[in-house]
Amino acid sequence: MSYNLDTHLPTFQIFLASRQANAISEDHGHANFYLESPVVPPLPHVDALVSLTDAQIPYAWYTFDTVSDDFNLLLQLGAGGSPTLYNVTITHGNYNAFDLQDELNSRIKVTLGLSSTSTDWATYNINTNRFSLTIPATYVAHDRIGVSSTSNNKTLFGINVNGEPVTLTTVTFTNIVDLTGIRAIHFTTNLPTLNRDSFQNLGTGGTLAKIPVNSTALGLITFIPSQPLEVYLTNFLLTEIEVWLRDDAGNIIDFNGTEWEATLTIKWVNSQKRQTLIALDDHMTRKRQRQTLRQEAQVKFSKT
């Protein structure tokens, strides 16, 4: 049910630009804006509806970064031995599957102290979209291979959530490669909302909008919602706006120092009218529930 709560007070906007933030993280994914004058209800019995009405955000993060650069290789000698973990660090950047194959081979050789011209370990199969690892015949230090579940890029490589078991000289990853990376940006602020994300309880507020990534890498993501989500604020004094730009796991996105902009729109509403209409809505809901119970009772009586 929707109501007209307009007060005829003018709507106004707060324009945010990361370059003008009073405090900002090095990656530009977390910013604080101190308002020159506080935002307060201009009249008694007036509250606010706040929404994110536009945003311009560069697609400037890497698929592989500090959150997703650890590929933890397991090598074991014989069935009875304990596997040894080798931390293979992927160079930060964006890759297609074949470039990633080359990068993985290069980094494995560096980690194991092998020549760059030695036999490759990783193979990408374009038909199945899966990676395989094979211990080269010339490498005799170990004869079994797997991948640890502690790898923080399991989804990207297609590694099973529990890792790939150390059983044979060759292991084919369980899942397909997924290099799509971040699919949506969670625009989270210190404004209290009832919205909840799967990552939950991060920051002091909630997600004001979920922004689809509608650009390719190095392009510009433009967000202009047709029906912005409005957050209701009551009895508030707004002196600061804090913004976190997060991925779907709750990690603050590393924009590599690039700048973004956004617009918050504040619309004033009559709180007394709202409370009256909420009470009316509750009354009508209870009335419908009573009618439903009576109808169910009549149907049950008629069957007996």
Side-chain angles (χ1 to χ4, degrees):
M1 185 177 292
S2 61
Y3 305 112
N4 179 11
L5 304 178
D6 291 344
T7 61
H8 304 294
L9 292 169
T11 296
F12 73 96
Q13 295 176 312
I14 301 175
F15 301 105
L16 305 177
S18 62
R19 73 177 71 90
Q20 297 165 348
N22 298 92
I24 193 164
S25 59
E26 184 177 351
D27 54 25
H28 283 207
H30 178 202
N32 291 73
F33 300 88
Y34 305 136
L35 303 182
E36 185 175 356
S37 57
V39 177
V40 294
L43 294 171
H45 310 303
V46 169
D47 292 329
L49 291 175
V50 183
S51 59
L52 179 69
T53 48
D54 74 67
Q56 299 78 39
I57 303 174
Y59 188 152
W61 60 86
Y62 293 143
T63 305
F64 287 87
D65 57 15
T66 53
V67 174
S68 57
D69 60 1
D70 285 341
F71 181 92
N72 293 327
L73 181 68
L74 292 173
L75 294 176
Q76 180 176 314
L77 179 61
S82 298
T84 301
L85 187 146
Y86 295 88
N87 178 246
V88 179
T89 302
I90 304 299
T91 305
H92 295 180
N94 298 318
Y95 298 88
N96 62 38
F98 288 107
D99 288 340
L100 184 57
Q101 170 189 275
D102 294 341
E103 169 66 10
L104 182 56
N105 278 314
S106 173
R107 301 310 299 172
I108 287 176
K109 293 173 186 177
V110 169
T111 303
L112 298 179
L114 304 176
S115 167
S116 61
T117 58
S118 60
T119 306
D120 287 341
W121 293 58
T123 303
Y124 171 70
N125 187 321
I126 192 173
N127 295 317
T128 61
N129 191 26
R130 281 179 167 84
F131 271 106
S132 296
L133 292 177
T134 301
I135 299 177
T138 55
Y139 185 81
V140 295
H142 301 87
D143 59 7
R144 295 168 186 270
I145 190 169
V147 184
S148 171
S149 63
T150 59
S151 300
N152 61 11
N153 44 38
K154 292 188 288 291
T155 299
L156 299 173
F157 275 104
I159 301 166
N160 188 288
V161 66
N162 297 315
E164 301 296 348
V166 183
T167 55
L168 301 169
T169 58
T170 296
V171 58
T172 299
F173 297 171
T174 303
N175 302 316
I176 64 172
V177 177
D178 182 2
L179 298 176
T180 53
I182 297 172
R183 295 172 173 81
I185 299 169
H186 295 245
F187 192 98
T188 306
T189 73
N190 59 326
L191 302 177
T193 77
L194 295 177
N195 303 328
R196 291 295 180 267
D197 295 281
S198 55
F199 49 75
Q200 294 288 320
N201 300 326
L202 294 174
T204 57
T207 294
L208 199 57
K210 181 179 176 182
I211 303 173
V213 176
N214 54 15
S215 169
T216 56
L218 305 181
L220 184 68
I221 299 164
T222 301
F223 177 70
I224 305 177
S226 57
Q227 292 184 313
L229 176 67
E230 295 179 323
V231 175
Y232 189 85
L233 298 183
T234 182
N235 297 324
F236 66 93
L237 172 65
L238 190 59
T239 60
E240 174 188 359
I241 296 175
E242 189 168 7
V243 177
W244 298 265
L245 301 180
R246 301 183 185 273
D247 64 17
D248 59 4
N251 302 304
I252 295 176
I253 299 172
D254 185 351
F255 290 94
N256 291 295
T258 56
E259 299 169 345
W260 50 265
E261 298 182 8
T263 302
L264 299 183
T265 297
I266 296 182
K267 181 169 62 176
W268 301 111
V269 296
N270 186 313
S271 58
Q272 285 186 325
K273 183 186 295 186
R274 177 178 183 272
Q275 294 301 322
T276 300
L277 291 173
I278 288 176
L280 177 61
D281 194 17
D282 290 342
H283 170 74
M284 296 303 295
T285 299
R286 290 193 295 270
K287 183 176 180 180
R288 287 192 296 269
Q289 291 173 341
R290 290 194 297 269
Q291 290 175 339
T292 300
L293 290 174
R294 283 196 296 268
Q295 291 171 353
E296 291 175 349
Q298 290 173 351
V299 171
K300 185 176 181 181
F301 179 77
S302 63
K303 288 183 178 179
T304 58

